[in-house]
Amino acid sequence: MKSKFILLDLDYTEFNNRVYLELTGRINGKKTVLLYDKFLPYFYVELSDESDADRIKQIKEGDFYVVSTEWLEKTIISEEKKLLRVYLNTPRAVKPIKSIIRKEIKSFVQIYEANIVFIKRFLVDNSFSMFSQYDIEYEKSEMESNYTQPCFFLKSIILSKEQQAYSPKVLSIDIETLSEGEEINPEKEPIIFVSLYSQSLQKAFTYQKYENPENFVEFCQSEKAMLERICECIKEQDADIITGYFSDGFDLPYISKRARIINASFQPGYDNSGIRVTGSSFKVAKIKGITHLDIYRFIRGIMNASIDSDSLSLAAVSRVLLGEEKHEADFDSFFKAWKNQESLNRFAAYNLQDSRLCYLLSEKIVPSIIELGKLSSLPAFQACRSSFSMLVESHLLKREKEFSMLSPPLPEESELRKRQRTSFEGAFVYQPSPGFYESLYVFDFRSLYPTIIVSHNISPETVNRSSKKKIDSPVEGVWFSQDKEGFIPYVLKDLIDARAEIKRKIASADDREKTILNARQYALKTVANATWGFFAYPLTGWYSYDCARSITAFGRHYITTIIDKLKKAGFSVIYSDTDSIFVCLDGKEEKSLMQEIDKINTELPGIMELNFEGKFSTGIFVSTKGTMTGAKKRYALMSQDGAISVKGFETIRRNWSEIGKEVQMKVLEMILSKKPNNEVESYIKDVVVKIRAKKIENRKMIITTQLKKPISEYESRAPHVAAAERLREAGKRAAPGTIISYIVCSEGKKIADKVRLPEECEQGDYDTDYYINNQILPSIEKIADVVGINAKELITKITQSSLDKFF
DNA sequence: TTTAGTCGGGG
DNA sequence: GTGTACGACTAAA
């Protein structure tokens, strides 16, 4: 039989001492299992005496044996070697047979690539990936199995020439538990709501009936019946992907545990298996045949750096990525309603909201996970949970065959120690002069480090090799051969070119294509930018101290050279960080600046290029605490359309009252839009007077801090600890992780004594001095200083004069 | 300033 | 699972 096949999941199993790959996917839309035995695990052995190959061929140890061997020419870094590829009957045989070869083969030198998991090996060798389409030949399988899906024996599989975009079916899940104690405990606390969200199903399930339920609520008889109903729905939905938010660490393990405790049957796997939870510190949950993607895991591992939010909670991430506010929960009132058998519609809506938000996030993020999986030949399940280094490692592994290369062996213990102790100089950051600037031109390098690697052919096999033509590193005694293109520059150039090509295509693509192309260029960018870091990552064979420190040294070299050139041409350079430069015209023409940049670009080597990033109408750079020198990485800019971007001011983060944040933002805005000093001063005066007059709403005075550990474990009584004590006295939960809200009130001596919960505090009963001196002043002092306003003096003066009025 | 330890998300 | 985990941030040294 022949057919088209969409690959969804990969696993392996053993029959009669022989490994079979288990490919799950769709044939004509129906989920099907295919068993395949034509791919075997292998590794490479280096021998000093080739005749020992015959002995290796004969190795057999219990159920494990060498199936066959072949000689191949491979390159390790820059050494060409003849290596014996040894095929085994099962992955389980690798470890024992490896140690037999080590011990018993006299001419044994080294083993290569013996640590690559079987499934990855299969994907990497064939450049296969999930959700791609294949032409397959298959036949009836005679093997006994407990698969719920049809099962066949696969005879051949090749990637289809024509790839049609496949949109996987996604189902999101979220649970609510009755957790009133200090800790969430699946042994005792039941699951009371479960919601499922997909294109065809949007429901919240519960087992306590109440009057007038919303139409998205479905009642079940008991917790057990509810879980079994959920399992049934998951099977009916027949999704390709199941997603949740922190579902690795919470939802799925909780369901699994709970099902066991209350004796509910929960076996959604295609072989009737349940949820498999592995890992201790970081749990991983797997369902056989459905790819489980924990959206939180991916955001934390990969997207974290590019997301501008103060936490990675579902609420914060939805706000940033979806522009949707999450309606926050009041669990106390939810639980009260549950106990008193009142309406649970609000609880149900909250529950459904979470799986809905997760579903919407999935629409944005799952394409990126899939494309990262395709690029580095990892199953989507792995791509979702991978670190940058794993993505790069796997991508390089896939590309090796284009260079007949193998991964260099991993470091020994002592070498690893040495690497971990080694550090090197990073990027260049220009010390700004604090002040207010107008007409700032910003330029930056597009992918600075990748373009340096490509332009100078930086690679482990080109560093310090004798060569006809070479380029010296700024690092003393280090050079790079230019005779032959290195592996890493070759791979990076390809990634950069592929991304440029996709960006061209995006312009004329329809919405559906755009989503995929965007995800693809994101994947290319992510892997390209992470690759240079591999040189500095101690746990890999690609580690190279000389490459790593040369790359940052080249970066510093080019950026400082350009700064000098611009200064010489009469422009003033205000700031620079790693790959960007901020320039002021200083009375010169914009045209001549652009000409200077063009000239700089013709002098830059290879594919390195300085781009015009944008023009900002105003900007301020502040000084560091107690000095006159400019602070690095702390500035605010206003673009020509009036949009403000703020970098590095800690006040924007939490732990500050609304009033502090508001005043800082307002003062920044006034200064950036060139309001005269007297207006700024009168605004500050106005705020201070209002605070003194108790006219600011209490709401804006609330300070929030997260309680990090149990109250009893705090040695010192910090304000938020004092607030947590009061919370507990009021009969509420104050467990680690709780966000404590409090107001500093006027009664008491120490700050901790003055702390009150917002509900205990009457309007205006806040400590005016505290808010003025600890919230307002520090948030604006440095900023006001830039335009010559002494905020401290100003505030003291206001205080004086209002005292004068008083007496 | 360097080092060890904890926490992240979830209810 | 043919291996092993991070990394940012804070409190203590």
Side-chain angles (χ1 to χ4, degrees), chain A residues 178 184-191 223 254 258 261-262:
Chain A
L178 187 62
I184 300 175
N185 180 0
E187 310 269 342
K188 291 185 190 134
E189 296 160 349
I191 299 170
E223 187 188 4
Y254 204 106
R258 210 48 213 162
I261 287 166
I262 62 171

Side-chain angles (χ1 to χ4, degrees), chain A residues 318-451:
Chain A
S318 301
R319 190 179 309 128
V320 175
L321 295 183
L322 303 172
E324 267 203 51
E325 285 301 320
K326 178 180 156 177
H327 203 272
E328 276 305 339
D330 177 359
F331 284 98
D332 286 337
S333 80
F334 284 169
F335 296 151
K336 215 167 109 194
W338 176 268
K339 289 213 178 102
N340 299 338
Q341 317 245 324
E342 293 160 11
S343 168
L344 297 169
N345 274 336
R346 280 162 49 87
F347 207 164
Y350 174 80
N351 178 225
L352 188 63
Q353 167 190 244
D354 278 7
S355 57
R356 176 177 161 273
L357 288 174
C358 183
Y359 182 84
L360 296 177
L361 286 172
S362 302
E363 286 188 314
K364 292 213 157 193
I365 291 170
V366 166
S368 300
I369 298 174
I370 290 175
E371 290 302 326
L372 272 172
K374 287 189 179 179
L375 183 60
S376 39
S377 279
L378 286 169
F381 184 90
Q382 301 295 337
C384 175
R385 292 158 179 82
S386 290
S387 59
F388 285 107
S389 66
M390 289 152 94
L391 293 176
V392 173
E393 178 197 51
S394 190
H395 176 246
L396 292 180
L397 191 69
K398 173 184 161 184
R399 306 300 296 268
E400 279 168 13
K401 52 181 181 285
E402 295 160 53
F403 259 60
S404 299
M405 276 188 132
L406 293 188
S407 293
L410 300 178
E412 307 275 327
E413 186 85 14
S414 62
E415 169 66 12
L416 185 63
R417 292 260 166 71
K418 201 174 115 198
R419 291 180 184 183
Q420 280 165 340
R421 280 197 308 268
T422 311
S423 64
F424 58 92
E425 199 180 339
F428 171 79
V429 186
Y430 188 90
Q431 175 102 52
S433 298
F436 176 80
Y437 299 93
E438 287 188 57
S439 279
L440 281 164
Y441 290 76
V442 180
F443 302 90
D444 63 13
F445 281 103
R446 172 184 55 104
S447 311
L448 178 64
Y449 292 158
T451 57

Side-chain angles (χ1 to χ4, degrees), chain A residues 479-702:
Chain A
W479 72 87
F480 299 97
S481 163
Q482 303 298 305
D483 295 353
K484 210 178 123 215
E485 186 177 33
F487 174 58
I488 304 290
Y490 161 79
V491 169
L492 276 177
K493 185 167 184 304
D494 193 54
L495 291 175
I496 292 168
D497 290 348
R499 180 157 182 249
E501 176 63 27
I502 285 168
K503 288 207 145 181
R504 271 196 293 280
K505 278 191 195 155
I506 285 178
S508 58
D510 62 38
D511 281 356
R512 211 176 112 93
E513 288 169 335
K514 237 176 218 167
T515 308
I516 294 169
L517 291 174
N518 236 328
R520 197 163 294 163
Q521 70 85 14
Y522 171 83
L524 288 162
K525 181 180 82 175
T526 303
V527 172
N529 285 342
T531 299
W532 93 269
F534 225 51
F535 289 138
Y537 184 62
L539 284 164
T540 162
W542 298 103
Y543 173 93
S544 168
Y545 175 58
D546 284 333
C547 288
R549 63 196 183 125
S550 292
I551 292 164
T552 55
F554 270 122
R556 293 193 302 274
H557 166 74
Y558 286 113
I559 208 100
T560 50
T561 308
I562 291 171
I563 289 171
D564 288 344
K565 280 181 185 168
L566 286 168
K567 280 183 174 170
K568 241 177 225 155
F571 300 98
S572 59
V573 172
I574 305 305
Y575 185 62
S576 166
D577 185 350
T578 315
D579 57 1
S580 63
I581 302 180
F582 295 57
V583 187
C584 268
L585 290 180
D586 234 13
K588 298 222 161 30
E589 296 276 314
E590 179 179 311
K591 212 174 126 193
S592 68
L593 174 61
M594 295 307 176
Q595 277 168 358
E596 188 61 32
I597 298 294
D598 286 345
K599 199 176 138 222
I600 285 167
N601 268 324
T602 59
E603 289 160 4
L604 282 170
I607 61 168
M608 290 187 71
E609 193 184 342
L610 191 67
N611 296 307
F612 176 53
E613 169 68 21
K615 188 181 163 183
F616 292 90
S617 38
T618 52
I620 62 171
F621 289 81
V622 300
S623 60
T624 51
K625 226 177 194 169
T627 68
M628 295 302 286
T629 53
K632 292 173 175 179
K633 298 179 192 288
R634 294 185 84 200
Y635 55 92
L637 303 169
M638 182 183 257
S639 63
Q640 286 166 305
D641 61 8
I644 294 176
S645 67
V646 184
K647 300 275 176 206
F649 289 102
E650 61 277 71
T651 341
I652 329 171
R653 313 227 153 240
R654 54 192 147 169
N655 291 10
W656 283 79
S657 61
E658 183 73 29
I659 190 76
K661 294 183 201 175
E662 183 184 307
V663 171
Q664 181 179 64
M665 208 50 212
K666 182 76 187 165
V667 170
L668 265 176
E669 197 183 306
M670 291 179 89
I671 293 176
L672 285 171
S673 44
K674 298 201 271 183
K675 292 278 189 298
N677 278 9
N678 60 1
E679 273 186 46
V680 180
E681 285 171 352
S682 74
Y683 168 73
I684 297 170
K685 264 186 219 163
D686 194 48
V687 171
V688 172
V689 168
K690 268 192 187 147
I691 291 176
R692 292 220 170 274
K694 314 268 183 188
K695 280 196 182 146
I696 306 285
E697 293 165 75
N698 273 11
R699 176 177 67 78
K700 291 189 178 178
M701 302 308 216
I702 296 172

Side-chain angles (χ1 to χ4, degrees), chain A residues 154-410:
Chain A
L154 180 65
K155 287 167 73 183
S156 74
I157 175 165
I158 56 161
L159 195 69
S160 303
K161 285 216 176 71
E162 296 276 316
Q163 288 288 325
Q164 286 167 11
Y166 179 73
S167 306
K169 177 163 186 182
V170 177
L171 174 67
S172 285
I173 187 166
D174 180 60
I175 67 168
E176 310 297 331
T177 63
L178 187 62
S179 305
E180 295 177 288
E182 302 247 317
E183 260 158 49
I184 300 175
N185 180 0
E187 310 269 342
K188 291 185 190 134
E189 296 160 349
I191 299 170
I192 53 180
F193 271 99
V194 183
S195 64
L196 295 174
Y197 199 103
S198 77
Q199 204 154 52
S200 58
L201 176 74
Q202 296 109 36
K203 265 190 182 176
F205 300 81
T206 186
Y207 57 93
Q208 180 165 292
K209 294 195 180 60
Y210 58 91
E211 305 264 300
N212 304 319
E214 298 273 9
N215 55 14
F216 58 79
V217 177
E218 182 179 319
F219 291 129
C220 304
Q221 284 302 318
S222 63
E223 187 188 4
K224 176 168 159 28
M226 177 177 76
L227 292 186
E228 287 171 355
R229 173 76 178 122
I230 293 296
C231 183
E232 189 183 302
C233 286
I234 291 173
K235 284 185 164 173
E236 266 171 27
Q237 282 281 306
D238 188 34
D240 301 319
I241 290 170
I242 188 161
T243 65
Y245 203 83
F246 198 47
S247 41
D248 260 352
F250 183 69
D251 301 74
L252 295 192
Y254 204 106
I255 291 175
S256 161
K257 184 138 212 187
R258 210 48 213 162
R260 220 173 315 130
I261 287 166
I262 62 171
N263 209 15
S265 154
F266 200 93
Q267 267 114 20
Y270 68 49
D271 56 352
N272 279 323
S273 60
I275 297 167
R276 269 182 44 211
V277 181
T278 54
S280 48
S281 66
F282 236 32
K283 280 189 247 175
V284 172
K286 217 170 180 174
I287 299 175
K288 201 149 177 161
I290 310 175
T291 300
H292 168 223
L293 302 179
D294 179 345
I295 297 300
Y296 164 73
R297 277 292 292 265
F298 184 72
I299 288 178
R300 225 202 80 189
I302 301 298
M303 296 182 72
N304 201 352
S306 57
I307 286 190
D308 190 25
S309 75
D310 48 291
S311 95
L312 296 181
S313 65
L314 180 59
V317 169
S318 301
R319 190 179 309 128
V320 175
L321 295 183
L322 303 172
E324 267 203 51
E325 285 301 320
K326 178 180 156 177
H327 203 272
E328 276 305 339
D330 177 359
F331 284 98
D332 286 337
S333 80
F334 284 169
F335 296 151
K336 215 167 109 194
W338 176 268
K339 289 213 178 102
N340 299 338
Q341 317 245 324
E342 293 160 11
S343 168
L344 297 169
N345 274 336
R346 280 162 49 87
F347 207 164
Y350 174 80
N351 178 225
L352 188 63
Q353 167 190 244
D354 278 7
S355 57
R356 176 177 161 273
L357 288 174
C358 183
Y359 182 84
L360 296 177
L361 286 172
S362 302
E363 286 188 314
K364 292 213 157 193
I365 291 170
V366 166
S368 300
I369 298 174
I370 290 175
E371 290 302 326
L372 272 172
K374 287 189 179 179
L375 183 60
S376 39
S377 279
L378 286 169
F381 184 90
Q382 301 295 337
C384 175
R385 292 158 179 82
S386 290
S387 59
F388 285 107
S389 66
M390 289 152 94
L391 293 176
V392 173
E393 178 197 51
S394 190
H395 176 246
L396 292 180
L397 191 69
K398 173 184 161 184
R399 306 300 296 268
E400 279 168 13
K401 52 181 181 285
E402 295 160 53
F403 259 60
S404 299
M405 276 188 132
L406 293 188
S407 293
L410 300 178

